[in-house]
Amino acid sequence: MTPAALLLTGTVGSGKTTTAHALGVVLQAAGVPHAVVDLDALRDAWPSPPDDPFHERLELANLRDVARNHRAAGAVRLVLAGVLEDPAHRGLYEDAVGVPLTVCRLRPDLTVVADRLQVRHAGDEPALDWHLHRSSELDAILHSAGIGDVVVDVRAHDEPAAVAAAVARAVGWS
């Protein structure tokens, strides 16, 4: 099996991390050596530089090492969950993982995203307000930039396993 990576991207609350873990279950059931990497965890540091507010440089530096270590441990599929906002940066991610990269944008109904964010940020109004604003802003950015080699629609009642199966079919991993 040829090593490959998949970056699940989408707006905040679109289900990137949940889908990545569900896809990991699909790959495990199929006997495919893999790793699931949440890119948010690789850039979770404070403060971020003024010229890199989402710590992309830190994320990429960490991804390079994490991907190399997972490949050395036998992973032939890398499933990444994170935001690729600028299509010009796609090559940076492919270079960091060291294998061919497919980008799949999850396209959710924004009312579903708002519901998820209400639950996720209950009791933290400033965070809720920021994420609600960012979700529609980022969704528009991803749409207008044409992000994604493939796009998978996520409906209100889709279970993570169903979304993962749709992603696997869309990228030829099923």
Side-chain angles (χ1 to χ4, degrees):
M1 178 177 295
T2 304
L6 171 65
L7 171 56
L8 293 166
T9 194
T11 191
V12 294
S14 62
K16 299 177 295 291
T17 302
T18 299
T19 301
H21 287 290
L23 186 54
V25 171
V26 169
L27 293 170
Q28 182 176 348
V32 177
H34 69 281
V36 175
V37 180
D38 181 353
L39 296 181
D40 284 349
L42 299 184
R43 63 181 180 84
D44 188 6
W46 185 90
S48 59
D51 67 333
D52 188 11
F54 296 109
H55 261 310
E56 185 181 42
R57 290 189 301 266
L58 177 62
E59 177 181 86
L60 287 165
N62 286 336
L63 177 58
R64 182 175 309 282
D65 292 339
V66 167
R68 182 185 65 244
N69 292 338
H70 280 302
R71 289 190 330 270
V76 294
R77 294 286 188 257
L78 299 175
V79 181
L80 315 174
V83 174
L84 174 61
E85 188 171 338
D86 184 343
H89 293 195
R90 183 184 198 281
L92 298 173
Y93 286 85
E94 187 162 45
D95 184 57
V97 294
V99 296
L101 175 71
T102 300
V103 178
C104 175
R105 179 165 61 99
L106 299 178
R107 182 172 48 199
D109 178 333
L110 289 182
T111 60
V112 172
V113 169
D115 291 344
R116 289 176 182 170
L117 294 174
Q118 293 281 348
V119 171
R120 183 186 298 172
H121 299 289
D124 187 352
E125 289 301 315
L128 175 61
D129 291 344
W130 187 90
H131 284 90
L132 286 172
H133 172 76
R134 181 65 174 154
S135 67
S136 59
E137 174 187 63
L138 183 55
D139 187 66
I141 289 168
L142 297 174
H143 175 73
S144 67
I147 298 291
D149 301 312
V150 297
V151 177
V152 172
D153 289 319
V154 181
R155 297 165 305 208
H157 301 292
D158 286 346
E159 292 294 324
V163 178
V167 168
R169 284 190 305 276
V171 301
W173 284 13
S174 55

